[in-house]
Every structure is written in structure tokens, then in C-alpha cells.
Amino acid sequence: MKRLSFRDPLSQVYLKDDQIIRKINKNEKFFFESLFNMNFFKIMIENKWIQNTEIKDNENHTEINHQKIDNFTEVTEMSSYQLFLAGILTLDIAITSLKNGYMLKDASAWNVVFHNGKPLFLDIGSFEKWDNSKTWIGYGQFIRHFLIPLIINKELKIPISKLFLTNRDGIYPKDAKNKLGLKVFKSLKYLEFIFVPSMIKSPSINRKIYNSTNTEMNQKVLLTILSRLRKKLLSLEPLHSSFWTKYTEKRDHYSKKDIDIKKNIVENFLKKNNGKTLDIGCNTGEFLFIASKYCDETHGIDFDEDCINFIQKNLDGKNISLANVNFSNPTPSIGWKNEETLGYIKKNLNYFDTIIFFGIIHHLITIDRIPMIDVIELLSKLTKKNLIFEFVSNKDKKFLELASVNNELYKNHTKENFEIIVKKFFSIKEIFELEYNNERTIYILEKN
């Protein structure tokens, strides 16, 4: 049995035989049984706000069992819009629970993951009976984990995924003020959530239980606080505009016919190979949306946060999982002993049936200086079977732009040498030449 989470001493989480087990004390069994039988809680599960659960008794403790989710996006791989949606979900759960006599005792961004394109709340141990208090103990944490990171992201363009790699407990007001400088005075929100708290010592929260005669008034006050937080969060909804979100409209190194050739290659292949598919460098999602029509699971990663935001906003119910990951510098494993949160490569080894790898290799070779053989080797470790690969030769217009004065370094970057390298890991099944840009070739490869 492998321990997955230990930070909540009342509710530790383990992995056993593909089952997620949350151990709780037997004296908490009645609380969780009552909670799980509440109509509002069942509705939240039906709406896929919260993962499904069941209670089982063991010798010395009670277990809450969850179905294992094989692949999900945590906050260290979320885009700003995904964090925004995770914050909305957290508040909606808190508001719904409060109306029914329950509350969330924390507001951590780590409680929510993205699975199949939607936010999902995992931490069942966060629920407790509301104690009639007018204060929310999770208020400060919500600001640190959602509002302040979105403000920092908006003003300084620091990706959410990078913020949480080094700030597990979110961004504290004092640190945010130092980062923002004079920008902290741009908005009343910034003054309220960053400047003022950074200038005063945070008071301790007294969780006083109020008399039952005050219950209705206290609930109304707390609902007002939560609703106000929600409005503040809505005002921070991220925009999405970058060079890469407009790339598909401006690219001049492909003809429309070449784009159609690439789309047809992907569509025809995935009609017959409909397993788990990953699009690396998914940009605005044109190939992701094709894959989602046929595949059991469709995943996309891109280094550009705005591209992930763009796709997430335009999913329209499609079952597509997204992560803000730079393939040349993927998310590392972090946390205690570097084992709490697995890095992107480690958790996805041999996971995908097909990988789409279009228009990236020349960036990795010329900008990141990663040898071709290393790229192919890593791709072979991520896919169980197939790779759809676009080779870009050293005579390609964009390759020459990126290589610039260093072009002589890449004189061996030819189609012939690529085929020698790739055969160490894959067999070549099909080759497609583009018509307008004849320096680019699409390969259908099968893992050896």
C-alpha cells in the first residue's frame, strides 16, 4: 500500500491495487455516512463536481474508497483559466454545502484536479459540519491559492504552473506586494487582498460557535462573504491572446492543402487506432478536436498558457484533457521526497497509444539544443505503440529562421539521418510528403 497524501492527519490517502483508499477514524464514520446520504451531496457527485465514494469498514479504521483516476492535471500543470474554473468550483461547493449545514474546512487549489476537461474536487476530507460561525477558516487560503495567483498571472505574466512549483501554499500577500511593486495600487481588489493584508499582522481566526438563535443570520453573513469572493474571482477571469493563439491564422509556411493533408492523416489513422492519444504542442487544438471524435482519451499539452486557456474555453463539452507543460522542460516531481506530486514524464511513461508530434522538432533542436536521438527516445517512452511525427528539414524556411547564424551546426539534420535515428526506436509504416512545403514530411511510426 503506497501512501499518496499525509498532510491531513485525520484523512490520509493510500493507493492499493488500483484503488484509492482514504483512512478515517471509526468515530468519523457516522459523519461521512450522513454526508454521503445528503441529497445535495449526491447531486454534486451526479454533476461530477466531486468524485464518487463509498464507505467500507476495516479492523481498526473506516475506509472511504475512491475510483482511481489514471491521468489528471494538478495545479502545477494548470493554466490560469483552469485555476479560475477550479476556484469557481471550490466556491460553488462551499456555498452549496453551507446552505445545507456543511462547510469546507480548507480551500486549497490542490483539492481540485482537471479530468476529461473538467475540474473535479477530490478532497472529501475537507467537508465538516458547519459550526454556525460567521467566518470561514478557508478564506485566507482561498485568497492565497486563487485570487492572488490570478492577479500575479495577469500583471506579471507568470504562468500558474510555475507559481505553484515553488509556492505550494499559494502566494502570501507580502510576497505578492513585493512582486507587483507599484502595480499593487492599480485596483481596489489588489489593495484589499494584497496591500492591506501585507501591512498588518494576520489575526487568528476564532472559530466561536454561535448560539442557535443566530444560525440564520450567521449563515446569511457567511453566504454573502462567499458570494462576494465569487464575484471578485469572476472579475479576474483570464483573457487569452498570444502569438501562438493566433498562429493558425497567420502561418504562411503551410498551404491550406497541406493543412488538409495533415488533418486527413490524423483523422484516417485515429479512425482505426482509437486509444489514448496525446498531442504535444497542441496550440489551438485543431488536431485535438479531430482526435476527440475517435479516441478513448484525448490529451493535449503546450508550453503556451494562453493556448491552453483558448482550448479550455472552447471545449464545448468535449472530452479533452489539457496541461500547460513545456515538453523541453517538463513539470518535475515535487513535494516531500519528490513523491507527493509526480512529474509529467514519470506519470505518463508508456501511457499513450498514439502521440501526435507536429511542428516542434525544429524548435527543440535549434532553440533548446536537444539532440534528435534524445527527442525520439523520450517519445518512445511515452507512447505504447504509435507516433505521428512531422520532420522539418534544415532547409525549411522556419528552421533557417530559428537556426539563424548557427545553421552550419545542423548540416546533418536531414531526412536521411532522421530515418536512421528513428529506426532505433520505431519502424516506419507510412510516409507522406507535403505539397506546398516540401521540406516537411509526415511519418507514421510504430514502436519497436
Side-chain angles (χ1 to χ4, degrees):
M1 186 180 294
K2 179 183 178 182
R3 186 172 62 173
L4 299 179
S5 175
F6 55 85
R7 293 183 182 269
D8 182 355
L10 300 177
S11 178
Q12 297 194 10
V13 183
Y14 298 82
L15 172 64
K16 181 182 179 182
D17 300 330
D18 250 14
Q19 185 76 41
I20 304 298
I21 297 171
R22 186 183 298 271
K23 292 183 179 181
I24 59 174
N25 297 329
K26 280 193 175 290
N27 57 9
E28 294 179 294
K29 177 184 175 183
F30 176 75
F31 165 78
F32 283 106
E33 281 182 334
S34 299
L35 174 65
F36 296 168
N37 285 322
M38 294 292 290
N39 190 50
F40 85 95
F41 194 84
K42 292 178 180 178
I43 291 173
M44 288 197 294
I45 289 178
E46 288 174 9
N47 291 337
K48 297 184 179 179
W49 287 11
I50 301 173
Q51 66 180 150
N52 206 350
T53 60
E54 62 175 344
I55 292 182
K56 289 185 177 180
D57 281 319
N58 213 315
E59 291 181 7
N60 301 315
H61 61 271
T62 298
E63 295 178 354
I64 299 176
N65 290 354
H66 310 287
Q67 183 178 0
K68 183 175 180 287
I69 302 172
D70 285 328
N71 199 300
F72 54 80
T73 300
E74 290 186 271
V75 68
T76 46
E77 295 169 355
M78 285 186 196
S79 69
S80 54
Y81 188 65
Q82 289 175 317
L83 183 72
F84 167 78
L85 293 179
I88 293 293
L89 177 65
T90 300
L91 287 177
D92 285 346
I93 290 173
I95 290 169
T96 303
S97 299
L98 178 58
K99 289 177 180 179
N100 290 275
Y102 290 82
M103 196 53 187
L104 295 179
K105 61 186 177 185
D106 63 13
S108 172
W110 295 94
N111 290 345
V112 183
V113 300
F114 269 75
H115 178 59
N116 292 336
K118 301 177 184 65
L120 180 68
F121 189 89
L122 298 185
D123 193 6
I124 302 300
S126 289
F127 285 89
E128 63 179 358
K129 282 292 285 185
W130 177 49
D131 62 3
N132 289 353
S133 172
K134 286 189 287 189
T135 58
W136 180 30
I137 197 172
Y139 183 88
Q141 190 178 42
F142 184 87
I143 291 170
R144 295 196 307 273
H145 282 233
F146 294 100
L147 294 183
I148 294 179
L150 287 171
I151 291 170
I152 296 293
N153 175 268
K154 177 181 179 180
E155 296 296 339
L156 303 181
K157 309 304 179 187
I158 302 174
I160 293 299
S161 55
K162 286 185 170 59
L163 285 175
F164 278 89
L165 277 177
T166 53
N167 300 275
R168 185 177 181 88
D169 194 27
I171 311 294
Y172 281 78
K174 184 177 180 180
D175 296 330
K177 182 173 82 71
N178 292 337
K179 289 179 186 292
L180 288 172
L182 293 177
K183 289 184 177 182
V184 77
F185 299 105
K186 281 181 65 174
S187 165
L188 291 176
K189 286 194 296 288
Y190 302 0
L191 293 174
E192 177 183 355
F193 297 119
I194 298 175
F195 183 75
V196 173
S198 71
M199 302 303 289
I200 60 176
K201 184 178 180 181
S202 299
S204 60
I205 297 177
N206 179 17
R207 302 196 73 187
K208 179 180 178 181
I209 298 179
Y210 289 79
N211 295 329
S212 60
T213 54
N214 292 326
T215 298
E216 186 175 344
M217 181 187 72
N218 294 341
Q219 186 186 60
K220 186 175 180 180
V221 169
L222 189 48
L223 282 172
T224 300
I225 292 171
L226 294 174
S227 297
R228 184 175 181 275
L229 268 183
R230 197 178 190 279
K231 288 179 182 178
K232 295 293 183 181
L233 181 59
L234 285 171
S235 71
L236 289 169
E237 179 176 347
L239 302 174
H240 57 276
S241 180
S242 72
F243 169 80
W244 291 106
T245 57
K246 299 173 183 176
Y247 165 78
T248 53
E249 301 170 7
K250 296 182 177 180
R251 57 192 171 193
D252 59 359
H253 49 290
Y254 292 111
S255 67
K256 183 182 182 304
K257 189 168 185 179
D258 280 347
I259 296 300
D260 289 339
I261 288 172
K262 292 174 71 173
K263 288 180 178 179
N264 287 334
I265 291 170
V266 170
E267 186 147 20
N268 291 334
F269 183 82
L270 294 179
K271 281 179 181 178
K272 302 174 183 177
N273 301 271
N274 56 357
K276 301 169 184 174
T277 297
L278 169 66
D279 185 357
I280 298 177
C282 56
N283 203 268
T284 55
E286 59 186 330
F287 299 106
L288 272 180
F289 291 122
I290 292 172
S292 68
K293 294 191 295 183
Y294 306 103
C295 296
D296 300 332
E297 288 183 28
T298 309
H299 299 259
I301 63 172
D302 202 287
F303 81 100
D304 188 279
E305 184 178 52
D306 288 321
C307 285
I308 300 300
N309 284 347
F310 178 88
I311 302 171
Q312 186 70 52
K313 285 190 176 188
N314 291 282
L315 280 183
D316 194 27
K318 292 182 177 64
N319 182 6
I320 296 175
S321 297
L322 300 163
N324 183 204
V325 173
N326 185 345
F327 187 69
S328 68
N329 186 25
T331 312
S333 298
I334 63 168
W336 178 246
K337 297 191 293 184
N338 289 148
E339 292 179 353
E340 281 185 84
T341 304
L342 295 181
Y344 186 80
I345 300 300
K346 191 170 184 179
K347 71 181 181 182
N348 286 296
L349 288 174
N350 210 40
Y351 184 79
F352 302 101
D353 296 293
T354 300
I355 291 178
I356 302 169
F357 198 80
F358 284 169
I360 307 170
I361 190 61
H362 51 312
H363 292 273
L364 294 177
I365 287 175
T366 60
I367 303 299
D368 298 301
R369 300 290 181 92
I370 301 173
M372 171 70 78
I373 191 168
D374 292 83
V375 176
I376 301 301
E377 182 182 22
L378 179 54
L379 291 169
S380 74
K381 290 179 178 179
L382 294 175
T383 183
K384 288 186 285 189
K385 190 173 183 182
N386 305 308
L387 173 62
I388 309 176
F389 190 98
E390 180 177 20
F391 176 77
V392 182
S393 85
N394 57 9
K395 295 179 181 178
D396 177 84
K397 172 185 174 182
K398 290 297 178 181
F399 190 103
L400 292 170
E401 280 182 21
L402 294 173
S404 187
V405 296
N406 295 315
N407 193 47
E408 183 64 20
L409 296 175
Y410 309 109
K411 60 184 178 182
N412 292 324
H413 183 77
T414 63
K415 183 178 173 182
E416 292 73 25
N417 284 333
F418 165 74
E419 292 183 3
I420 292 171
I421 291 171
V422 83
K423 286 177 182 176
K424 295 179 181 180
F425 306 94
F426 295 88
S427 58
I428 299 173
K429 293 300 180 182
E430 290 186 83
I431 301 176
F432 301 88
E433 303 288 351
L434 299 185
E435 295 186 12
Y436 171 75
N437 189 342
N438 55 15
E439 298 300 334
R440 298 195 177 204
T441 307
I442 310 297
Y443 288 85
I444 302 292
L445 306 170
E446 186 175 292
K447 187 173 176 178
N448 292 338

